[in-house]
Amino acid sequence: MLILLAGIFLLHIASIVLLLVATIDNSWWVTEQTATDLWGTWVYQNGNWNLTNVVTNSQEYLQAVQATSVLACIFAILGLFVFIAQLFTLQKGQRFIFSGVFQFLACLCIMIAASIYTDIFHKTDRGQYGYCFILAWIAFCLTLISSIIYFVLRKKVK
Amino acid sequence: MLAFLALASIALVGIAPQCQAIVIYTGWERHALVGSDVRLSCSFFSWRWTSEDVTFSWSYRPDGSRDSISIFHFTGGAPYVDNKGPFRDRLEFVGNPSRRDGSILIKNLDFNDNGTFTCDAKNPPDIVGRPSSVRLLVFENLPVQAGVITGAIIGAVLGLLVLIVVIYYLMRFLVARRVFNLSVSKHGKKGKGKEGSQQRQPRRTPPFSFLSS
């Protein structure tokens, strides 16, 4: 049972790490000379990387993606603390509903962020998706699995 | 003695010209949409009373140009607006010189109006001062300021979360209080009000009262 607990804990921490990296690092879309979104654009000029502002026609959508990915991080981190608290305070036989709710909210938020980004941005640009974009979708899967586990798991009755 | 005091006061006035300089205030930057009107405000601070010969003058320097052109002058109690230059028929004086306000209104903005507007005010005998400039930026549509929507979404969702948690705990607390009231009042009064057993509301009779009576 301790292994199961450790596994769930590691899954949660992995999802937090992936969410943080996807949110903080500016690499949702890359070309040969640039790596851009969500907070700035890195441009490779004369042997140096320079950070500039993101130039886009959809400023509002970019800010929505920023907001929801930040919210996903916040919910995942809060969910970790709630899970640890519920480990000690939950009655035997009860489910970890509260932590599951937080992970589910994180899943929802990162899904909204990644979906908006996929649908709105870079439809006609040359380039490819960067690793942060991929990590965001992987984090969506991890948080979904994590929240389902929390909804199903019961505290040990003995 | 009196002569000495008079000389001293004149000397003080003479050697402290800095606090006698006129200080002119305009904005730093103004943002406006194409086709809209913008009010450029100009006011000044002066230690002297507002004289009748107070003058205001506005000049305009387009972006990328080094020459500035005078577009407005107020003197002798009358405003003189631009009637030949880039702002003819678009400039209006909306200030109040007796209240030290020399603001102008520019109507129907265009992209060519991007530039720096300089206001120079003089309040005789207080004429030493620096003119102040305001930069006008004309946009097609006002850009969203960085981070406004982001902050709004994050704040709204977190606020909603806090509200839900507070309401949840409040409900739990109130239910606990009702349970406490029920155990105090012995005759099975199940009042629906939150104040507890004082309320006399029409209530469903508990099923077991049929049996006990």
Side-chain angles (χ1 to χ4, degrees):
Chain A
M1 279 304 120
L2 213 59
I3 299 178
L4 183 65
L5 185 65
I8 294 171
F9 206 66
L10 267 165
L11 181 66
H12 198 141
I13 298 226
S15 69
I16 291 179
V17 168
L18 288 185
L19 279 171
L20 282 175
V21 171
T23 305
I24 295 175
D25 224 349
N26 286 315
S27 191
W28 286 59
W29 178 263
V30 292
T31 65
E32 289 104 30
Q33 310 277 3
T34 65
T36 181
D37 294 330
L38 300 160
W39 308 96
T41 303
W42 286 101
V43 184
Y44 189 67
Q45 269 176 345
N46 309 325
N48 288 328
W49 285 98
N50 294 321
L51 187 66
T52 59
N53 286 329
V54 178
V55 175
T56 170
N57 293 329
S58 332
Q59 271 291 341
E60 301 89 355
Y61 282 117
L62 183 70
Q63 295 197 8
V65 175
Q66 287 174 346
T68 41
S69 57
V70 167
L71 277 174
C73 294
I74 293 177
F75 282 136
I77 293 175
L78 283 178
L80 187 68
F81 291 126
V82 167
F83 174 60
I84 294 176
Q86 284 205 307
L87 269 181
F88 294 114
T89 64
L90 206 59
Q91 290 170 349
K92 301 222 186 283
Q94 295 277 327
R95 293 195 157 109
F96 292 89
I97 296 283
F98 215 12
S99 352
V101 164
F102 272 97
Q103 276 291 71
F104 187 70
L105 282 173
C107 173
L108 205 65
C109 284
I110 192 64
M111 185 191 75
I112 292 174
S115 308
I116 295 179
Y117 192 82
T118 313
D119 194 37
I120 302 281
F121 291 91
H122 309 295
K123 303 296 288 238
T124 54
D125 291 348
R126 203 175 40 91
Q128 62 205 31
Y129 283 115
Y131 69 92
C132 288
F133 178 75
I134 300 170
L135 285 184
W137 280 112
I138 296 180
F140 158 69
C141 298
L142 288 188
T143 45
L144 188 63
I145 295 171
S146 189
S147 69
I148 292 177
I149 291 180
Y150 284 136
F151 282 136
V152 164
L153 197 72
R154 283 185 199 272
K155 198 165 182 197
K156 204 161 67 147
V157 185
K158 216 201 282 199
Chain B
M1 181 63 181
L2 220 59
F4 171 72
L5 275 173
L7 276 175
S9 59
I10 291 177
L12 276 171
V13 162
I15 58 179
Q18 291 308 319
C19 64
Q20 284 258 339
I22 191 172
V23 184
I24 304 178
Y25 304 107
T26 62
W28 186 253
E29 239 180 35
R30 283 281 173 272
H31 298 205
L33 285 176
V34 167
S36 70
D37 306 339
V38 68
R39 181 179 197 265
L40 300 173
S41 65
C42 176
S43 70
F44 65 87
F45 173 77
S46 165
W47 288 101
R48 303 276 188 175
W49 296 110
T50 309
S51 118
E52 284 167 0
D53 302 323
V54 64
T55 63
F56 288 95
S57 55
W58 281 92
S59 62
Y60 167 66
R61 182 169 59 85
D63 263 352
S65 164
R66 268 186 299 181
D67 302 323
S68 67
I69 178 174
S70 174
I71 58 170
F72 173 80
H73 193 66
F74 179 93
T75 184
Y80 299 92
V81 298
D82 178 16
N83 51 6
K84 298 188 174 54
F87 296 101
R88 69 169 155 270
D89 303 328
R90 290 199 288 150
L91 199 60
E92 195 186 318
F93 180 58
V94 293
N96 191 348
S98 55
R99 285 183 194 268
R100 304 183 169 189
D101 179 16
S103 310
I104 54 171
L105 180 75
I106 304 181
K107 297 185 265 227
N108 200 11
L109 285 167
D110 188 43
F111 287 117
N112 299 327
D113 297 332
N114 270 302
T116 308
F117 290 80
T118 307
C119 174
D120 193 8
K122 298 200 186 309
N123 184 27
D126 197 1
I127 54 127
V128 179
R130 283 203 175 85
S132 171
S133 304
V134 55
R135 185 123 193 272
L136 179 67
L137 295 164
V138 181
F139 292 101
E140 196 174 285
N141 37 13
L142 278 180
V144 183
Q145 278 185 323
V148 167
I149 299 181
T150 310
I153 295 178
I154 295 179
V157 172
L158 287 181
L160 201 66
L161 188 75
V162 167
L163 194 71
I164 291 175
V165 166
V166 163
I167 290 181
Y168 171 71
Y169 277 109
L170 197 69
M171 284 283 117
R172 261 185 35 172
F173 172 68
L174 287 171
V175 165
R177 250 190 32 177
R178 260 198 298 180
V179 166
F180 176 67
N181 277 333
L182 277 175
S183 67
V184 165
S185 63
K186 286 179 199 159
H187 299 291
K189 287 180 187 169
K190 290 198 174 74
K192 286 216 171 137
K194 291 198 173 89
E195 284 82 44
S197 52
Q198 260 81 29
Q199 279 196 345
R200 296 214 174 276
Q201 289 195 358
R203 57 193 179 273
R204 291 173 291 146
T205 46
F208 58 80
S209 66
F210 289 116
L211 298 174
S212 62
S213 65

